[in-house]
């Protein structure tokens, strides 16, 4: 694992070094964001999948980096959309500079991600480009649902799951499929590893939602309670409303609609309802369900079990992460 992580960090570092210096407010937010770390889970999944199918990680690296740069681009825009002041324990780009800077640096990162991806040689490139494009567009679709749901009424758990599949899970899935295809995995196996990623990715976003409510700011690196403040229709909220008794339902509705209440109180009161209804445990149950689905997809991959252990253990560790 360490050798793959080193490969990724070195790749990110040299990507940052090669960025032009001018205009400074276009490029310095790019290296700022990428240098703040992050788990690098998507490039790691891409390289692990590549390795599992017998590929050479050095060949897959540009694609893995492309995905990480794309992911970081989405974070710049997401933090504007979510009004999030903090990312990786530092000011988010729009907070440190301004929204125009975050929009434009994000745009540049999107282009850069395609530049990286296009380092992969044909005929593989023509296989992975549609995978990347589909995931990238679906992320936009998911983000649009996420924003629309903030404003609207409650949605079904099914609608929520579709939203997080789009905004988050498909990019993890595509990372795995792209890594697999660069290793010349056969189409059936590439599809199984994609489905594995989708299920793991859904569990990953459920955990992200949990951490947003129950995590420690120093570890998560984001402002805790942001989802509650902005009325995000998370699994936590939807489940709570589903299980709430009459008076809890009234309390939840009034927290969602109140213009006056200060954010700290809103977070505190919502968390206390979540706690009363064991929402944390119920969310973890749901995560486990999707994790198990993912394991099922993994079992369908026609490779020896010993080849699969790295990916499975990474996926396991994601389910208990604190950041
Ligand atoms: C955050 O992604 C956005 C989501 C899709 C949940 P990560 O949790 O992978 O963030 P970093 O890259 O590790 O900071
Ligand atoms: C982010 O979901 C999904 C994308 C960035 C596409 P969130 O809005 O929950 O991610 P965080 O919590 O800000 O990292
Ligand atoms: Mg968001
Ligand atoms: Mg966000
Ligand atoms: Mg979140």
């Amino acid at each position: 694992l360490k050798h793959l992580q080193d490969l990724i960090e070195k790749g990110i570092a040299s990507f940052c070094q090669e960025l032009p210096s001018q205009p400074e407010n276009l490029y310095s937010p790019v290296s700022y964001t990428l240098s703040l770390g992050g788990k690098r889970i998507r490039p790691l999944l891409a390289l692990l999948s590549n390795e599992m199918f017998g590929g050479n990680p050095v060949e897959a690296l540009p694609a893995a980096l492309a995905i990480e740069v794309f992911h970081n681009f989405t974070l710049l825009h997401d933090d504007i959309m979510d009004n999030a002041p903090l990312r990786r324990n530092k000011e988010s780009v729009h907070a440190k500079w301004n929204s125009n800077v975050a929009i434009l640096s994000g745009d540049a990162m999107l282009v850069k991600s395609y530049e990286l991806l296009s380092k992969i040689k044909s005929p593989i490139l023509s296989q992975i480009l549609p995978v990347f494009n589909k995931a990238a567009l679906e992320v936009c679709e998911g983000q649009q649902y996420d924003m629309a749901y903030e404003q609207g009424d409650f949605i079904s758990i099914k609608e929520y799951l579709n939203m997080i599949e789009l905004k988050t899970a498909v990019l993890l899935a595509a990372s795995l499929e792209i890594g697999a295809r660069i290793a010349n995995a056969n189409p059936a196996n590439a599809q199984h590893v994609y489905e594995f990623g989708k299920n793991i990715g859904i569990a990953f976003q459920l955990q992200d939602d949990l951490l947003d409510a129950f995590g420690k700011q120093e570890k998560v690196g984001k402002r805790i309670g942001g989802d509650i403040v902005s009325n995000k229709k998370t699994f936590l909220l939807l489940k709570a409303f589903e299980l709430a008794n009459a008076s809890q339902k009234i309390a939840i509705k009034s927290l969602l609609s109140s213009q006056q209440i200060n954010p700290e109180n809103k977070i505190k009161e919502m968390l206390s309802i979540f706690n009363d209804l064991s929402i944390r445990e119920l969310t973890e149950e749901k995560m486990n369900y999707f994790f198990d689905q993912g394991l099922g997809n993994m079992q369908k991959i026609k490779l020896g079990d010993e080849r699969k252990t790295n990916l499975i253990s990474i996926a396991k560790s994601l389910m208990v992460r604190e950041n």
Side-chain angles (χ1 to χ4, degrees):
L1 223 88
K2 182 78 167 64
H3 70 291
L4 297 181
Q5 282 167 330
D6 285 350
L7 212 55
I8 293 164
E9 287 318 313
K10 288 199 181 110
I12 296 280
S14 74
F15 171 83
C16 289
Q17 263 159 25
E18 284 161 23
L19 290 169
S21 58
Q22 299 291 329
E24 201 190 332
N25 280 357
L26 182 66
Y27 293 115
S28 59
V30 178
S31 44
Y32 170 79
T33 301
L34 287 166
S35 308
L36 292 180
K39 295 179 289 297
R40 313 287 197 219
I41 190 62
R42 295 159 189 80
L44 189 59
L45 290 175
L47 296 189
L48 280 171
S49 170
N50 182 263
E51 197 173 64
M52 178 172 77
F53 288 109
N56 172 4
V58 174
E59 270 173 39
L61 185 63
L65 297 175
I67 294 163
E68 183 62 14
V69 172
F70 176 84
H71 160 63
N72 279 263
F73 142 64
T74 71
L75 297 181
L76 262 61
H77 286 196
D78 177 70
D79 284 340
I80 302 173
M81 292 153 65
D82 291 346
N83 208 0
L86 212 62
R87 165 82 53 194
R88 298 169 179 161
N89 270 316
K90 290 278 186 325
E91 277 180 292
S92 55
V93 169
H94 75 96
K96 188 175 165 69
W97 283 270
N98 58 54
S99 292
N100 287 342
V101 165
I103 291 169
L104 211 51
S105 293
D107 293 342
M109 291 166 91
L110 175 60
V111 176
K112 279 290 184 183
S113 72
Y114 277 94
E115 199 177 85
L116 283 162
L117 193 69
S118 63
K119 289 184 182 175
I120 303 295
K121 302 215 170 40
S122 56
I124 299 285
L125 181 60
S126 61
Q127 284 182 31
I128 64 174
L129 196 54
V131 178
F132 188 87
N133 286 341
K134 179 167 176 285
L137 201 56
E138 285 175 340
V139 170
C140 297
E141 294 174 10
Q143 287 287 80
Q144 175 52 40
Y145 285 126
D146 180 275
M147 296 315 294
Y149 295 160
E150 252 187 40
Q151 304 301 326
D153 211 344
F154 290 97
I155 54 169
S156 65
I157 300 279
K158 197 170 160 219
E159 287 169 303
Y160 164 82
L161 290 172
N162 180 53
M163 182 264 286
I164 67 170
E165 176 176 327
L166 292 167
K167 76 167 180 172
T168 299
V170 296
L171 192 58
L172 277 76
S175 305
L176 288 152
E177 179 173 349
I178 286 170
R181 290 198 178 271
I182 295 173
N184 279 312
N186 72 43
N189 281 343
Q191 187 59 34
H192 293 319
V193 85
Y194 178 92
E195 294 297 327
F196 165 76
K198 209 165 77 179
N199 284 309
I200 294 300
I202 291 172
F204 183 81
Q205 183 61 45
L206 283 161
Q207 174 77 338
D208 181 83
D209 289 354
L210 261 188
L211 290 171
D212 197 281
F214 295 106
K216 294 271 157 288
Q217 181 175 301
E218 319 81 74
K219 292 200 169 147
V220 180
K222 306 183 247 194
R223 191 177 66 185
I224 302 305
D227 288 347
I228 293 173
V229 172
S230 51
N231 290 351
K232 291 287 186 197
K233 301 305 179 294
T234 62
F235 181 82
L236 286 69
L237 178 65
L238 300 171
K239 201 71 199 168
F241 194 72
E242 180 190 310
L243 299 175
N245 62 29
S247 73
Q248 287 166 325
K249 276 199 164 67
I250 292 169
I252 292 173
K253 281 200 160 166
S254 98
L255 287 173
L256 290 181
S257 62
S258 170
Q259 312 288 337
Q260 270 82 7
I261 188 164
N262 92 15
E264 294 315 311
N265 287 339
K266 181 172 176 177
I267 294 167
K268 214 174 80 195
E269 287 175 35
M270 194 66 93
L271 285 180
S272 119
I273 298 174
F274 287 175
N275 282 326
D276 291 343
L277 295 167
S278 303
I279 294 302
R280 183 204 280 259
E281 292 73 14
L282 291 166
T283 307
E284 283 166 352
E285 244 169 58
K286 199 76 174 169
M287 284 172 54
N288 288 335
Y289 168 81
F290 284 101
F291 179 79
D292 289 342
Q293 294 289 306
L295 286 185
N297 302 128
M298 191 54 104
Q299 272 162 15
K300 292 187 187 156
I301 295 176
K302 294 199 175 60
L303 284 177
D305 283 345
E306 73 289 348
R307 308 228 77 189
K308 304 176 182 174
T309 52
N310 279 344
L311 261 185
I312 290 174
S313 70
I314 275 289
K316 260 203 190 105
S317 71
L318 285 178
M319 301 301 111
V320 293
R321 70 202 163 96
E322 292 186 286
N323 71 330

